[in-house]
Amino acid sequence: GVVAWALFVVWEWKFAKKPIIPLTRWKTRTPLYGVCALSTVTIISSTNWQYFTTYLMLSRNLSYSDAILLERGYNVSYIVCEVIVGFLMKRFRVWKPFVWTGVSLTILGVGLMIPARLPTSSDAFVVISQTIVGIGSGFLYTPMLVAIQSSVPHEDLAVSTAMMQVGGAIAASIGSTMAGSIWNNMLPGQIAKYVPGEYDYAQIVGSVPYALALPTEQYNGVVQAYGHVQMILSIIAICIAVVTFC
């Protein structure tokens, strides 16, 4: 895939008589920067939410449905704010202030997730941090979509929209791969560090009920191990959020 994309870029740049993505014909880099910004937001969500439901179930002894409800603050606020910011853009005829607001709120919310996702934090703190990031993402997406589509010639509208979709798909793959690699490489060492006595690692990571049924000392060690890895994912997410701002 990486080789194919590299060849595609070279072909588009040097050889194609009618490039699919005609960057040289566009008078602004807004489409390119917009796709990059939205892609980094997708990497954040793919990285920091990959194992979050399982983590909530194990660390807070929640059912699957309760864990889903606890993390849905992001989705609800994201969808609601997309509608609100669309109305505000129509009313005030500007888009950049909403983008800056969205990026700033995203950085704030992801930063708050570092302490909010600790096993000892309150459920309310989890919901607040999720909701702030959802508001930020909602404020960012619609203005950036409009900016990308309105900054290219009409005949390139479909191409610019496709760039967003392709960028998001690639970013989701990158984010989930990063999260999976970090989680699967760090968790065994953290469990070995914090869980005393003999234990079945495959059962612990493969079955939440099994982990919950462990003796208290071992269960607390598992929670501590999961919490540390989740904190690392949140720290990586805040670093990516800063890249979005840039």
Side-chain angles (χ1 to χ4, degrees):
V2 174
V3 173
W5 275 109
L7 292 173
F8 174 73
V9 170
V10 173
W11 171 260
E12 286 278 291
W13 184 26
K14 293 290 187 181
F15 301 105
K17 294 180 179 180
K18 293 186 67 176
I20 297 174
I21 305 175
L23 291 175
T24 56
R25 195 170 72 223
W26 295 345
K27 297 178 181 180
T28 174
R29 290 288 178 263
T30 296
L32 187 60
Y33 294 145
V35 169
C36 290
L38 292 177
S39 296
T40 54
V41 173
T42 303
I43 292 175
I44 291 170
S45 59
S46 299
T47 302
N48 213 18
W49 274 265
Q50 181 84 351
Y51 299 97
F52 189 45
T53 303
T54 302
Y55 171 68
L56 286 175
M57 292 171 63
L58 189 143
S59 63
R60 296 169 188 265
N61 195 7
L62 298 174
S63 66
Y64 180 76
S65 59
D66 288 341
I68 289 292
L69 287 174
L70 196 58
E71 70 166 331
R72 277 299 176 258
Y74 173 86
N75 302 77
V76 173
S77 57
Y78 175 76
I79 293 169
V80 171
C81 284
E82 278 192 290
V83 178
I84 293 173
V85 78
F87 172 79
L88 293 175
M89 287 174 63
K90 182 179 179 180
R91 172 69 176 81
F92 295 106
R93 315 297 294 179
V94 295
W95 64 273
K96 286 185 180 180
F98 300 114
V99 170
W100 292 118
T101 301
V103 174
S104 300
L105 287 172
T106 299
I107 293 173
L108 172 63
V110 174
L112 288 174
M113 283 180 180
I114 297 173
R117 292 187 172 189
L118 293 175
T120 54
S121 67
S122 67
D123 291 351
F125 197 8
V126 175
V127 173
I128 290 169
S129 63
Q130 297 277 115
T131 304
I132 291 174
V133 178
I135 293 171
S137 299
F139 264 70
L140 176 66
Y141 184 83
T142 300
M144 197 61 81
L145 170 64
V146 172
I148 291 169
Q149 292 182 332
S150 62
S151 61
V152 299
H154 181 72
E155 61 268 23
D156 295 330
L157 182 62
V159 171
S160 65
T161 306
M163 284 174 58
M164 290 181 55
Q165 301 301 322
V166 172
I170 294 172
S173 298
I174 293 171
S176 59
T177 302
M178 285 171 51
S181 178
I182 294 166
W183 190 269
N184 292 321
N185 280 284
M186 288 192 67
L187 194 57
Q190 292 300 310
I191 287 181
K193 178 180 178 180
Y194 291 113
V195 179
E198 295 184 1
Y199 57 86
D200 187 334
Y201 174 79
Q203 285 274 41
I204 290 174
V205 298
S207 172
V208 173
Y210 177 86
L212 292 174
L214 289 170
T216 302
E217 194 173 356
Q218 286 190 326
Y219 168 72
N220 291 337
V222 171
V223 170
Q224 196 169 357
Y226 269 67
H228 180 79
V229 180
Q230 180 61 58
M231 182 183 68
I232 297 299
L233 293 178
S234 297
I235 291 172
I236 292 171
I238 188 64
C239 295
I240 299 170
V242 174
V243 173
T244 307
F245 188 86
C246 297

